[in-house]
Amino acid sequence: MRVAIAGSNGLACSIADAITTNTYHQIIILSRAPKPQLSARGWQVVVVNYDESHRQELAFKLAGVSVVLSVISGPAQIALINAAAQAGVRRFAPAEFEGPAALRPQQDALDRGKRVALERLRYYQTRGMQYTSFVCGILYERFAPGGMYASRIGLRSGIGAEGDYLVNISQRKAQIPYGTNGQPAILSLTSAEDVGKFVAAAISLPQWPPELRMSGDRMNVSRLIQIVETVRGAGFEKAHYNSQSMWSALQLAQSAQNIQQQLQVITLMATASGRFDFASSNLNSLVAVTPTRFQAWLQEAWRDR
């Protein structure tokens, strides 16, 4: 089966590596520019233009592709969906890779075009193109040295640096958001490497439901911070946030016109609302992937640091 991966960041590479290592599918990497470092790994890189005016050209480059896995967002992803439908692609997975879509608010500051992409995919589903959203919760890489940016993940998110989400391990500081039930928020989490393995294994499933949920671990934020403290062998300074204090922090960031701080607080609020949590992981039971637990991953990530 021929699989196209749209994007060349760290998560796209994790998916590409898992497919080439664990399956016999052929892959192509769709990129806006040549990527010699990816070509050197033996991967075919196809340079594409996502402008809607180039849809015909993009559809031509998707000829013979059965599955498109997108790790791009915004208008580029919409153009890719349209071209994939035109080219007769059978399956499309949009750039989701967070919590379930049903948990997102209608007016979502973290959307980045995801709602429109899902609407477009539902339309094309009625015309024969299957789709699924790969749901993985929070990526472990947020807690890596250097954060997600160090793995070239979330480069356009504005909140991918170390310390941008919940814990700054280097500075030994942590934030604990509380839900409306007065308890610390709960998270589902998965490593980028395991996301790649789950996605690779899911390609050959006989049917794709609207969501395929995977999880490497699940815990509340207090437990996550306890694990970090254990691994680092030190206590962390903790800031506790309820809905009122989060709204106050957001208003302060807005008055200062600090976009990055606004995104950090909005993500904290989304965490408190349960956006990144799900109890049922249907993909875990459908494929033979044994994910790494968070503590084991964290110990390896921070070894010798």
Side-chain angles (χ1 to χ4, degrees), residues 9 32 71-74 76 112 148-149 152-160 263:
N9 67 9
R32 292 178 175 89
V71 195
I72 62 174
S73 58
R112 302 186 67 213
M148 293 197 302
Y149 290 163
R152 299 185 63 253
I153 298 174
L155 296 177
R156 299 184 181 184
S157 68
I159 48 170
L263 289 171

Side-chain angles (χ1 to χ4, degrees), residues 74-155:
Q77 178 166 237
I78 300 302
L80 179 62
I81 293 170
N82 291 334
Q86 182 175 329
V89 169
R90 294 193 296 110
R91 288 179 166 179
F92 193 107
E96 284 284 322
F97 305 108
E98 55 154 286
L103 300 181
R104 300 200 286 257
Q106 187 67 24
Q107 300 298 323
D108 183 14
L110 304 175
D111 178 73
R112 302 186 67 213
K114 292 182 177 181
R115 181 179 58 82
V116 174
L118 289 176
E119 289 175 352
R120 189 64 57 92
L121 286 167
R122 293 186 192 105
Y123 168 77
Y124 284 125
Q125 185 182 42
T126 65
R127 285 154 176 77
M129 186 168 73
Q130 290 186 28
Y131 80 93
T132 196
S133 295
F134 286 108
V135 175
C136 61
I138 294 296
L139 291 173
Y140 291 176
E141 281 69 18
R142 282 194 176 274
F143 309 103
M148 293 197 302
Y149 290 163
S151 300
R152 299 185 63 253
I153 298 174
L155 296 177

